[in-house]
Amino acid sequence: MAVPESRVIREYENIREIRGPLVIVEGISDAAYDEIVEVELPNGEKRRGRVLETARGYAVVQVFEGTTGITAVGTKVRFLARTLEVKVSDEMLGRVFNGLGDPIDGGPPITSGVWRDINGDPLNPATRAYPEDFIQTGVSAIDGMNTMVRGQKLPIFSGAGLPHNKLAVQIARQATVRSGEEFAVVFAAIGVMHDDALFFKKFFEETGAIKRAALFINLADEPASVRLITPRIALTLAEHLAFDLGMHVLVILTDMTNYAEALREISAAREEVPGRQGYPGYMYSDLASIYERAGRAHGRKGSITQMPILTMPNDDITHPIPDLTGYITEGQIVLSRELHNRGIYPPINVLMSLSRLMKEGIGPGKTREDHANVSDQLYAAYSRAVELRSLAAIVGEESLSDVDRKYLRFAEAFEQRFIRQGFYENRSIEETLDIAWEVLSILPESELYRIKDEFIRKYHPKYRKKASEEKS
């Protein structure tokens, strides 16, 4: 069968302009959006790129490795008549790659596997299965109050200097489903500093977590265009592991703020009309094309759970990046600078955090029967305690009632014993709920109005102690 004319490799040498990471090629009228391009410099060096914009008579090409050294004369641009593909395989677990999917760990290239378009194949909404299986991260503030379920996309909203990277690798090491199955982890570091990249590699190698993980590392000093490719290559591997090989996959993307900044940089180079704070108007749909590649499908065993991490500029949760991310994803884990400054790790602000799918993944047969009631009571009690702290700062603690002072004691215990835990401390959901009961026992029973009486009699430390004494 003859190859259509539009699928034939075409070569051009008429470069009209080089603008930042972009090369504008004249004389081509059949370039396709996202078509892969090979740029050959006069010295024989070859670089990769893709078509960002096409019209009659010209095409705008984004060069992944940057345009430094490219000249308008003597440079050949070949349009390869295909989209960007990457070879993916379970051989990639235990390996470290750069942002374009090339091995950087000194190991051999990936030989087996299948070629996949990095843009993925969207799941038909009719085939999507509702996320409902509890994921145990071992972190009490997440498992107990902002439960993550298999197939969910639950981002971490952080700020500069907060320990989001530590929390990310801790979750990557500890995440399991209740059946005991471990997750394969696809970890994409986007636009990170060299010391962060070294931390990620060192952590995964020293803890042994590298055996079930694939790391993609894009450094901050690499061209911005590569940042747009890195999460898509990582997700392409995740889709192969989940939907072809039946694995449960946890995808961690850090830092999506760097991704959005690269998107803005490329948009500015194309001289597009800017949207909010200079970001392109299509940033919502672009972010959605990444976040929506999580989920489960009917008839397939595997799943993709996604945990994007973003640093909020100036800790502003209304900034376009966290704002749009919050619309697309199913909740958020928000880190607190105030808790961090007090030495509490992980500094999760539970009152600002939310998991919209939590109720689907908890309860009898999934976590424990008292989970929902305990979580509701913790939220209510901590919220009241935070208000009383503000009041006590004005009128003095001695002006508060005895019950109010117990709420202040509860808040301190909640932060120090429930939220705070060690970096290598992996708590089961039963341990998390037992700690929750311990801190709730500081309050009078009459204040536990969100918990059923039968659960109080069964799990409250006072009654459990009495029951154990009767048995002995």
Side-chain angles (χ1 to χ4, degrees):
M1 185 174 70
V3 178
E5 184 64 24
S6 62
R7 301 294 293 172
V8 174
I9 296 175
R10 295 90 73 213
E11 181 177 294
Y12 296 84
E13 294 187 31
N14 41 337
I15 294 177
R16 184 177 81 191
E17 184 181 353
I18 299 170
R19 186 193 305 155
L22 307 180
V23 171
I24 301 173
V25 183
E26 284 188 316
I28 181 167
S29 57
D30 61 348
Y33 176 73
D34 250 3
E35 183 176 358
I36 288 304
V37 172
E38 182 180 82
V39 180
E40 184 177 342
L41 278 63
N43 63 4
E45 179 190 349
K46 293 181 181 179
R47 300 181 187 177
R48 291 168 288 183
R50 64 171 178 167
V51 175
L52 283 186
E53 182 181 336
T54 180
R56 286 179 179 252
Y58 76 92
V60 179
V61 175
Q62 172 190 4
V63 183
F64 299 146
E65 292 89 351
T67 56
T68 303
I70 296 178
T71 59
V73 179
T75 298
K76 298 176 182 178
V77 183
R78 297 186 188 92
F79 293 79
L80 303 183
R82 56 182 174 83
T83 56
L84 181 58
E85 296 179 336
V86 62
K87 181 181 280 189
V88 289
S89 163
D90 57 355
E91 286 183 10
M92 298 176 78
L93 294 175
R95 301 291 303 276
V96 183
F97 305 87
N98 66 13
L100 292 173
D102 302 319
I104 57 173
D105 55 2
I110 302 301
T111 53
S112 66
V114 293
W115 289 93
R116 290 282 189 269
D117 187 328
I118 67 164
N119 296 301
D121 294 320
L123 278 176
N124 185 327
T127 68
R128 280 188 179 270
Y130 201 82
E132 57 183 9
D133 298 325
F134 168 65
I135 294 174
Q136 182 171 287
T137 67
V139 179
S140 291
I142 296 176
D143 294 349
M145 302 182 69
N146 300 283
T147 309
M148 185 163 64
V149 297
R150 193 159 56 91
Q152 184 178 8
K153 40 195 181 289
L154 185 64
I156 295 176
F157 288 4
S158 184
L162 296 182
H164 45 271
N165 287 336
K166 280 183 63 177
L167 181 59
V169 295
Q170 181 176 1
I171 292 171
R173 185 185 77 246
Q174 296 177 176
T176 59
V177 287
R178 293 292 275 174
S179 61
E181 296 172 274
E182 290 188 332
F183 278 84
V185 176
V186 175
F187 193 101
I190 306 164
V192 298
M193 305 294 282
H194 283 265
D195 55 345
D196 288 330
L198 184 62
F199 165 72
F200 293 140
K201 287 195 285 188
K202 187 176 180 182
F203 175 86
F204 277 94
E205 289 167 357
E206 289 183 350
T207 61
I210 189 68
K211 295 177 182 177
R212 60 184 181 114
L215 273 64
F216 295 85
I217 297 178
N218 161 238
L219 298 170
D221 58 2
E222 294 177 345
S225 53
V226 180
R227 295 183 208 166
L228 306 184
I229 300 298
T230 302
R232 290 180 167 84
I233 289 180
L235 285 163
T236 302
L237 171 60
E239 288 170 345
H240 173 65
L241 297 176
F243 302 131
D244 294 341
L245 304 182
M247 297 183 182
H248 299 314
V249 185
L250 174 63
V251 179
I252 297 177
L253 307 173
T254 181
D255 177 344
M256 289 303 294
T257 297
N258 294 335
Y259 174 90
E261 294 291 348
L263 197 66
R264 179 166 66 174
E265 184 177 329
I266 300 297
S267 175
R270 294 173 64 184
E271 298 181 352
E272 296 174 333
V273 177
R276 290 169 59 192
Q277 298 193 27
Y279 294 95
Y282 52 79
M283 187 165 74
Y284 178 91
S285 57
D286 192 281
L287 289 173
S289 72
I290 293 176
Y291 296 148
E292 293 296 348
R293 292 173 73 173
R296 300 169 55 217
H298 291 294
R300 295 184 182 181
K301 178 186 175 185
S303 65
I304 297 176
T305 305
Q306 206 179 110
M307 182 166 271
I309 298 169
L310 56 91
T311 49
M312 301 177 289
N314 300 317
D315 292 354
D316 180 12
I317 201 169
T318 66
H319 186 277
I321 303 171
D323 187 35
L324 296 179
T325 296
Y327 278 112
I328 302 166
T329 55
E330 293 120 8
Q332 68 275 335
I333 305 297
V334 181
L335 301 193
S336 163
R337 194 168 299 279
E338 189 265 336
L339 290 177
H340 176 64
N341 290 341
R342 289 167 50 199
I344 294 175
Y345 174 86
I348 295 175
N349 185 336
V350 294
L351 296 182
M352 291 192 66
S353 301
L354 169 70
S355 172
R356 295 190 181 97
L357 301 182
M358 173 176 173
K359 65 181 184 300
E360 308 299 334
I362 64 174
K366 295 179 179 179
T367 55
R368 207 168 73 182
E369 57 185 350
D370 59 324
H371 190 163
N373 280 191
V374 168
S375 175
D376 289 346
Q377 187 63 65
L378 287 173
Y379 268 115
Y382 188 54
S383 178
R384 179 175 172 184
V386 169
E387 292 177 357
L388 287 170
R389 275 180 176 170
S390 300
L391 180 61
I394 299 171
V395 302
E397 188 174 328
E398 64 279 357
S399 301
L400 301 179
S401 67
D402 289 342
V403 172
D404 287 345
R405 285 195 288 272
K406 287 182 178 179
Y407 269 98
L408 295 182
R409 285 177 49 215
F410 158 80
E412 186 65 22
F414 176 74
E415 291 168 351
Q416 296 295 335
R417 292 162 58 189
F418 185 85
I419 295 179
R420 182 200 287 270
Q421 64 181 90
F423 178 49
Y424 291 98
E425 185 178 357
N426 185 1
R427 296 176 181 170
S428 68
I429 186 60
E430 288 78 16
E431 289 173 317
T432 289
L433 292 173
D434 288 345
I435 293 171
W437 275 106
E438 287 175 20
V439 297
L440 284 172
S441 67
I442 295 171
L443 300 173
E445 278 187 45
S446 59
E447 295 298 313
L448 306 182
Y449 52 86
R450 290 184 177 271
I451 305 178
K452 294 179 180 178
D453 289 341
E454 60 186 280
F455 295 153
I456 293 176
R457 289 192 294 271
K458 185 174 181 181
Y459 295 106
H460 194 290
K462 181 177 72 174
Y463 296 105
R464 294 180 80 166
K465 183 180 179 181
K466 190 181 294 183
S468 63
E469 288 174 351
E470 290 175 355
K471 284 183 180 179
S472 60

